[in-house]
Every structure is written in C-alpha cells, then in structure tokens.
Amino acid sequence: MTVTEPELENSPLLELLGGFIIELREAGLPVSLTENLDAMEAVTHIPLEDRESFKYALGATLVKNHTHWKAFEVVFEVYFSMRGEEYIIGSEAEGEFSGEDQEGDESALPGQGQPQGGGGGMQSLTPEQLAEMLFKALLNGDMAMLSALARQAVLRFAGMEPGRPVGGTYYLYRTLRNLDLDGVLEKLMEETKSQTSQPMSQFEERLERDEFLDRIEKLKAEVEAEIRRRLVADRGVEAMARTLRKPLPEDVDFMHASREEMSELRKAIYPLTRKLAVRLARKRRHGRKGPLDFRNTIRHSLSYGGVPAEPKFRFPRPAKPEIMVVADISGSVASFARFTLHLVYAISNQFSKVRSFVFIDGLDEVTRFFEGVEDIGEAVHRVNTEADVVWVDGHSDYGHAFDVFWEKFGRDLNPKTTVLILGDARNNYHASQAWIIQEMKKKARKVYWLNPEPRAYWDTGDSIVGEYTTHTDGCYEVRNLRQLESFVEKLV
Amino acid sequence: MENHFEDVTGVRASLSDVNYLADDGIAGIVYLAERLGKPILVEGPAGTGKTQLAKSVAEMTDARLIRLQCYEGLDESKALYEWNYKKQLLRIQAEGAGDWNEIEDDIFSEDFLLTRPLLEAIRAEDRVVLLIDEVDRVEVETEALLLEILSDYQVSIPELGTVEANQVPLVFLTSNATRELSEALKRRCLYLYIDYPDLEREREIVLSKVPEIDENLADQVARIVRSIRQLDLKKSPSVSETLDWARTLVLLGISKVDADTATETVNILLKYRTDIEKAIKEFADSPDGLSDEEE
Ligand SMILES: Nc1ncnc2c1ncn2[C@@H]1O[C@H](COP(=O)(O)OP(=O)(O)OP(=O)(O)O)[C@@H](O)[C@H]1O
Ligand SMILES: [Mg+2]
C-alpha cells in the first residue's frame, strides 16, 4: 500500500519528519529524495507508540552506512524522544512527573511507565537512601529502577539552570562525581564476594566485574540521555541538534580529536585498511590492459557466433614501488603519523618494500618494529614509545632530522623509491635544510609531503611547509581518515 | 501477494520458531521489507547471521530459497540467464538451409534459455526468497545487473522482452563491506546492520543452536565472549565461533568454564595469534576490568 498525497501533506508527523531529515543532512548524512519518500511511507506501517520500531524504520530507510548510525541516533533522540514539558528545567520543583501531562504522542518514552512508580516519593529520600537504592539496583540489574534513579540523580546533582550556557559534559561530570561509581563498583564486588560460599577465582571476579561495568555503562547512558532531554527542553530542538552534531568518524580531524573520537578512529582503522586492501588488490588485477589473452578471447567469441568481438587481455604486473615514510611524531602531529604508518603497512603488500623513519629533532629508522609482526597497531605503538627521536630538546627540528636522514640513508634512494614526508613543517625557527628535499627529489621516483594542518594555516607562524614543498611532487592536506584513504589509494 | 506479517513482534516470534533469534531491529526491518516490497541490504561483521537470516525467513514463510552466491567476475550469464549456444548451434545445423528469420525466432525462445538465479526468482510460480550473498564481491559495474530486479522486480531480455515477477519476492543482499556499494544499489534497499548480539540474545542463540547445553554454561559462554569482544582485537569472535566453542565445551563434558579451560580452548574463538595471546593474558590476571582504551 502507498500513502496518498493529501495524507502526506497536512500531517504534523510528516512535517516533523521533514525537519528531521533536514537535520540529518545538516549533520552530514547523505539522504536522497527517494530515501526521504521511503521513510515517509515506512512510518505509515509502524504504530507510532512503538518508538523502537519507528526508529529502526527511519534508520533502515535513511542511513545506509553503519558508521553514520551514531550520528543518526543522536539526531533521532533530540527530535522524537525529547519533546515534552516534563523536561523543562525547573519542573523538578513540582516534584514527580505525573505521566498524564503528556499528550500521549511524541513524548511517550519507552520504559517510561515503570520507573514512575519506582520513583514515587524519590524526592524525599535522603542521599544515603538514594545511594543504597542505586547500589541495590546495580547489584540486581534492575534496569527500570536504574533509569528512574538516573533521572533523580540528574535532578539532584547536575545543578542545571535554565538558560545557562554550559555543555552537557559539565552536567554529566557533576552528576557522576556525586554518584561515585568507582566506589560503588568496589562495593558491588565486595558484596558479591561475600555472598559466594567459595572464594572467587580471578577469572570469575573478572567476569563479575565486567557485568557490573556493563550495568554502570547503561546507567551512565541513562544519565546522559536525561541531561540531553533537559537541555533540549531548555534550548529547543534545533539549537541542541546543532550543539550535539558530531563529525562522522571519517571526518574527525587528527589533530583535534578528543579522547573518545580517538578511540573511534582506532576502531575505524582496521575495517578501513581491510577495505582498502581488497580494493587495491582488485584494482591491480583490473587496472591496465596487458597483452591479448588469446584463449579467453576465443572463449568469449562464442557469444558472438565465433566472432572475436570482445578482445580479452592479460593483466600486467606493473612494478611495485618502494616506499619510504619519513614522519614527524612530535606532539600534535603524532596521531596523524600513527594512522598513516598504520595504513601504509596494512597495504604493504602493494609495495615491493616499505621502510619507515620517525623524527622529532633526531631521527630513527623504525622498519624493524614492523618486520614479521601480525599486529600493526602494536608495532605503531612501539614506534611511539621506543623509537629514538630526541636529539636536543624534543622540539621538532626538520632541518636536523633531514640532515641525519640524508647522511645515513640518502644513498638508499633510487628511481623506484617514493618518499612520503609527514608533518606540519612547524620547525621552531630552525634552519630548514630544504636543499636536502631537492636532492631527494633528484634521486627518488617521487617525493610527496602530507600535512595534517588545514591548508589555510600553511606557512603561517613557524610553518615553513612551502619552502620544502616547492621541491616535491606535491603536498597534500591530510586531516582525516577520508583524506588519508584517498591519498594512499592514489599512491598505489 | 498477501501480507504474512501481522506486526514486528509476530515476525520476531516466528523467526524464533525456526531458531533464529532476532532483536527488534532485525525483526522490524524484515517486517517493513515485506510491507514496502523492498529488498534488504544486510551488512555486519562476519558470522553474525546475515546469510542465516535469509534462510530462516524462507523457512518461516515456507518459501523456497534461491541463492545467488556472488564472486569476483560474476556476470550476466551466471546471474541472470544465458542462451544455450550448443543447443542453438545444433538447431541451426539441423535446419540446414531454412528460413533464417524463422530459425532466429526459434532459437531465441524459452526452450533455449538457461535460467540463472535472478531470473529464476522472478519467474517462480511458488513463493521464493531471493538471497544475493556477499554482493560486495562483484565489481561495481556488475551491480548494475541487479538494479532492475531490485527496483522493478523484472528482467529485460532483448530477444524475448521483459519478464515481470508474478509476485514480489523478499530479497536479501548481504555484504561484508569490503567495499562501498554503489549509491544506486543502496537507494533501492532497506539497510540492516547486524552487529554482534548482546548478552541475552547470544545466550538464547547458544541455547537454541546447541540444545544439549545447560543454561548455566550457555550463560557463561555468552558472558566470556562478551568480555573478550571488549578487548582490542584484530578479529572479535563471531556468533559461529561462539557456537563452535559452546559445542566443544559440551563435547568435552565441561559444566563450568574456569581460566584454564578458557585458556586451552580459546583458539576456537580467536584466530590470530596476537589475539589469542592477548585474551590469555587477560584471563590470567585481571586486576581492573577488561578495559582496553588506554594506549
Ligand atoms: N540470530 C541468530 N540466531 C540463530 N543463529 C544464528 C544467529 N546469528 C548467527 N547464527 C548462527 O551463526 C552462524 C553464522 O551465521 P551466518 O553464516 O549467517 O553469518 P554471516 O553473517 O552470513 O557471516 P559471513 O559474513 O561470514 O557470511 C550460523 O550457524 C547461524 O546459524
Ligand atoms: Mg554469509
């Protein structure tokens, strides 16, 4: 069945959906017109009260890339789960939410029913009683109680005030600090140990702890969601959606990634390298045409009544380049170097040889860390901790690093070598020694420079990237995984 | 075609009757696919039940499963249809000097057509579920072959005309995401990502697939696997590996997994040496939780 046009028009739900899709696009998710229409049709098959199904219906029609799911969820939450008066900051003064002030439409939250009862009278609990309830709920895995307690905790501890321009993280921090979850975890473990007849083995303890950690994570998520709801009620959906908007993992800036984003990036790198490797292997096979494959041509000619209408070619084996990576691993550019090394080694079978060098003001060859290892991530980690890269003071000195490189390894450059230099070229006003790059260029096949800074910052302050890159075959801005992937693909 | 599915809960229950444990997302999207008459593109880590979902939906709807296994180099003649050249040649030879137009009409008729999975699904008279497995393995250009079927449920054969489906079959495409699929393909599909199951669902899967196991052991298995998946591994254990492990434990007559058993059998769950070492280290000493975020 399909939706008829008039229905599409005046329905407030579809209007809401329209706004939702605009917001998704603002967040960077590509939503096409067909998908938009699909979503509108999809929701007509879903009972509106069923918020989970509603969410999945929209997700399945609008989000076709799993790494975008998180961004989708945040927008969804802001849009559909947080419209309702009970979240207005200050409503705590009136005590518990009665539940009937909701119109029964968008504000009906899944799981909202039960905790109300459990929360009845929570206002009057002493802090000790509240802590005790939290402890019990965590011990027994009582999720309904936990979400009621999360709400109560936010009311009491977050100290939210209408119109105050602080972010959600601040409130989250305040709430969690008051809950002292680390301490609670230890108490939970003690309680469990005292309840078992035999002493627990380390292994059992570990599993038990992981279970509690899981419950605590769920509690934190509830607290976070509660804070977000209240912020939305205070500032409005559109403003909140804007604040909460997060870059997609592939667009996160290496140089400014938060801890959490870093961990997302680390997770993203494995599937990314796998994808890239498969794609490159395929490209190699199908890339350029080699000599005519006679038998294959004849075989196919059968489809044309014996006429060799579609000549088939053997695939050539183009010579694989040798790669030398020379990377600045000081402070702000370290993570960029890490990801690049990771990616290059992950596809090292595309190259006849990969050698790597890292520097700050001194330079060290680190090829050895990667030889015969299965886990590139670990090798990269060792590079960061074990390489010998400090010469004087541990501030980047490109000039000196290039001196060392040239003296020790310059003779290894040959017409098959491609050199990748990684860094922001912020040289702390040391001598540039740019002539070395010029010499490298004469001996090597190609020399490229990858810079993790936005192009607009190049050659400002102590950045002297231009001085170097006039001698190279190209300088690329590589600020995120997306740009890194596309450069590496070009390289092969 | 009448709707089989009453509601999402119903789908979930019916899937569980055929031993497929779905969550609300999976059941919801299967339900929607049937309502909207749209294919489902299923992505997710290896061994999380993508292929099995298509098989189980076929089983639960009493439909015949038609499977197109994709591989690099798959082409029209293997996916859609092919003319039977040998037979055509014989026919031409047998005719000798006949009327060419007549022969041509004849040799490009149904009798000379070799039906491949996609066409077979379109022409089926009985109820079918079409599974296009591991679609990311074909080249991007080959995806084009699928588009007509996925949006219009029809196949155009130049010599014969357009073959339209008698019924809209449920179509599943699976992908391990070794490459991005084309926008054109994605637009035609509902998207379903099947991740590793949560603790409860994994336990249920174990109980349903390894009926000999007792509940406590199944619970332990699911817990340990969950803890292992939190480690920073090259490859996390898949559901199939969980099941293999559970079966092994049952065979070994183990009723409770301790650190030693886990250490000795962890090679069933993990495939990389470094992953195995990491896990073993974690089993042995574990002062503060399986947290791996620090570098
Ligand atoms: N939800 C589930 N309910 C029951 N069995 C499941 C479920 N998920 C996975 N399994 C079982 O796990 C095994 C692996 O599933 P399947 O082959 O479908 O994985 P897949 O996602 O297609 O993997 P791959 O990406 O490697 O093709 C099968 O034995 C399947 O029966
Ligand atoms: Mg499969």
Side-chain angles (χ1 to χ4, degrees), chain B residues 14-15 17-20 30 42 49-69 128-134 170-174 194 209:
Chain B
S14 312
L15 276 171
D17 290 343
V18 294
N19 286 336
Y20 191 90
V30 169
V42 194
K50 302 185 290 294
T51 305
Q52 186 63 45
L53 175 62
K55 291 182 182 167
S56 299
V57 168
E59 189 183 343
M60 101 186 205
T61 53
D62 276 324
R64 175 160 62 99
L65 182 80
I66 297 180
R67 176 173 184 166
L68 173 65
Q69 176 61 52
V128 297
V129 166
L130 173 61
L131 166 61
I132 303 176
D133 213 5
E134 311 195 344
L170 267 177
V171 183
F172 291 84
L173 298 95
T174 75
I194 306 189
K209 291 279 164 129

Side-chain angles (χ1 to χ4, degrees), chain A residues 3 6-7 17 20 22 41 75 93 153 155-156 208 243 278 290 305 330 335 350 360 407 410 413 433 456 461 490:
Chain A
V3 186
E7 239 179 288
L17 208 53
F20 176 63
I22 291 173
E41 196 193 337
V75 179
L155 285 183
R156 288 193 182 203
E208 206 52 47
T243 339
V278 172
S330 65
S335 54
Q350 300 291 319
I360 292 180
E407 190 185 314
L413 292 170
Q433 302 292 69
K490 233 179 305 178

Side-chain angles (χ1 to χ4, degrees), chain A residues 32 34 38 45 60 63-64 66 204 206 210-211 214 259 263 266 275 282 285-286 303 374 381, chain B residues 31 38 72 177-178 186-187 189 191 193 223 226-227 234 256 273 282 286 289-290 293 295:
Chain A
S32 72
T34 6
D38 286 346
H45 294 275
V63 187
K64 310 272 170 94
H66 182 62
E204 286 166 325
R206 150 59 62 88
D210 280 348
E211 173 62 28
D214 188 66
R259 233 186 86 140
S263 122
R266 273 202 299 275
K275 254 192 230 180
R282 211 171 264 154
R285 253 169 288 155
H286 295 274
S303 358
E374 220 175 78
H381 181 67
Chain B
Y31 163 82
K38 278 187 153 280
E72 210 185 324
T178 58
K186 286 185 171 180
R187 267 203 304 277
C189 301
Y191 183 81
Y193 188 86
R223 277 173 202 282
R226 174 178 69 177
S227 288
K234 279 189 90 161
K256 188 164 182 301
R273 189 177 46 79
E282 289 292 330
S286 48
L290 282 176
E293 291 308 330
E295 267 238 359

Side-chain angles (χ1 to χ4, degrees), chain A residues 295-310:
Chain A
R295 290 183 61 176
N296 198 3
T297 306
I298 295 301
R299 203 156 56 236
H300 273 77
S301 75
L302 295 177
S303 358
Y304 301 95
V307 181
E310 192 188 333

Side-chain angles (χ1 to χ4, degrees), chain A residues 49-114:
Chain A
E49 322 78 71
D50 186 351
R51 194 156 298 276
E52 280 299 290
S53 300
F54 186 69
K55 176 163 117 188
Y56 286 116
L58 290 182
T61 45
L62 298 172
V63 187
K64 310 272 170 94
N65 179 338
H66 182 62
T67 62
H68 297 166
W69 179 257
K70 261 203 171 152
F72 166 82
E73 269 192 318
V74 170
V75 179
F76 181 88
E77 205 186 334
V78 169
Y79 249 82
F80 293 104
S81 309
M82 298 180 176
R83 291 168 188 262
E85 337 183 336
E86 76 274 23
Y87 297 115
I88 291 169
I89 298 176
S91 72
E92 53 264 46
E94 287 101 65
E96 295 304 304
F97 317 124
S98 62
E100 76 237 352
D101 54 359
Q102 303 152 11
E103 251 108 278
D105 53 15
E106 293 115 43
S107 54
L109 280 155
Q112 196 167 265
Q114 330 82 307

Side-chain angles (χ1 to χ4, degrees), chain A residues 64-67 271 274-275, chain B residues 20 26 40-51 53 133-136 173-179 181 186 190-197 201 229 235-240:
Chain A
K64 310 272 170 94
N65 179 338
H66 182 62
T67 62
R274 203 166 42 97
K275 254 192 230 180
Chain B
Y20 191 90
I26 299 175
I40 306 182
L41 168 62
V42 194
E43 282 191 336
T48 46
K50 302 185 290 294
T51 305
L53 175 62
D133 213 5
E134 311 195 344
V135 66
D136 52 329
L173 298 95
T174 75
S175 161
N176 281 324
T178 58
R179 67 173 175 82
L181 301 172
K186 286 185 171 180
L190 299 177
Y191 183 81
L192 168 63
Y193 188 86
I194 306 189
D195 212 332
Y196 299 116
R201 192 157 73 90
R229 284 205 192 111
K235 192 187 163 302
S236 284
S238 68
V239 176
S240 13

Side-chain angles (χ1 to χ4, degrees), chain A residues 98-312:
Chain A
S98 62
E100 76 237 352
D101 54 359
Q102 303 152 11
E103 251 108 278
D105 53 15
E106 293 115 43
S107 54
L109 280 155
Q112 196 167 265
Q114 330 82 307
Q116 301 291 317
M122 258 190 205
Q123 294 277 273
S124 53
L125 293 176
T126 64
E128 292 72 30
Q129 287 169 320
L130 192 72
E132 182 59 23
M133 282 177 86
L134 185 73
F135 178 77
K136 286 245 171 67
L138 283 169
L139 190 66
N140 304 325
D142 182 348
M143 286 304 146
M145 180 56 83
L146 278 180
S147 80
L149 287 165
R151 177 173 297 188
Q152 187 57 224
V154 171
L155 285 183
R156 288 193 182 203
F157 305 128
M160 294 176 88
E161 290 163 31
R164 195 168 160 200
V166 279
T169 348
Y170 170 76
Y171 295 126
L172 180 66
Y173 172 75
R174 286 188 56 157
T175 311
L176 294 182
R177 194 187 50 190
N178 275 286
L179 294 180
D180 181 28
L181 293 172
D182 290 341
V184 173
L185 177 63
E186 292 319 314
K187 267 177 60 194
L188 286 165
M189 289 306 295
E190 273 161 36
E191 178 69 18
T192 312
K193 279 188 239 171
S194 74
Q195 278 178 7
T196 50
S197 43
Q198 296 154 2
M200 281 172 111
S201 70
Q202 290 250 3
F203 183 63
E204 286 166 325
E205 245 181 68
R206 150 59 62 88
L207 292 173
E208 206 52 47
R209 185 182 289 268
D210 280 348
E211 173 62 28
F212 288 133
L213 280 171
D214 188 66
R215 291 176 195 170
I216 288 176
E217 277 313 306
K218 286 182 181 141
L219 171 71
K220 281 186 190 166
E222 292 280 345
V223 168
E224 221 170 334
E226 179 65 17
I227 290 172
R228 237 176 331 196
R229 283 178 204 126
R230 289 180 172 273
L231 285 174
V232 169
D234 184 35
R235 297 179 195 173
V237 166
E238 280 69 22
M240 257 326 265
R242 217 173 308 123
T243 339
L244 291 175
R245 201 174 292 152
K246 283 194 182 142
L248 305 175
E250 59 267 38
D251 294 321
V252 168
D253 218 312
F254 292 131
M255 294 181 70
H256 304 290
S258 67
R259 233 186 86 140
E260 192 193 336
E261 285 170 334
M262 243 340 147
S263 122
E264 295 272 310
L265 281 178
R266 273 202 299 275
K267 279 189 211 128
I269 189 101
Y270 283 102
L272 186 138
T273 53
R274 203 166 42 97
K275 254 192 230 180
L276 190 63
V278 172
R279 204 155 67 222
L280 293 175
R282 211 171 264 154
K283 200 159 126 193
R284 259 192 112 63
R285 253 169 288 155
H286 295 274
R288 271 159 285 162
K289 290 191 169 171
L292 187 73
D293 182 339
F294 187 69
R295 290 183 61 176
N296 198 3
T297 306
I298 295 301
R299 203 156 56 236
H300 273 77
S301 75
L302 295 177
S303 358
Y304 301 95
V307 181
E310 192 188 333
K312 295 283 167 183

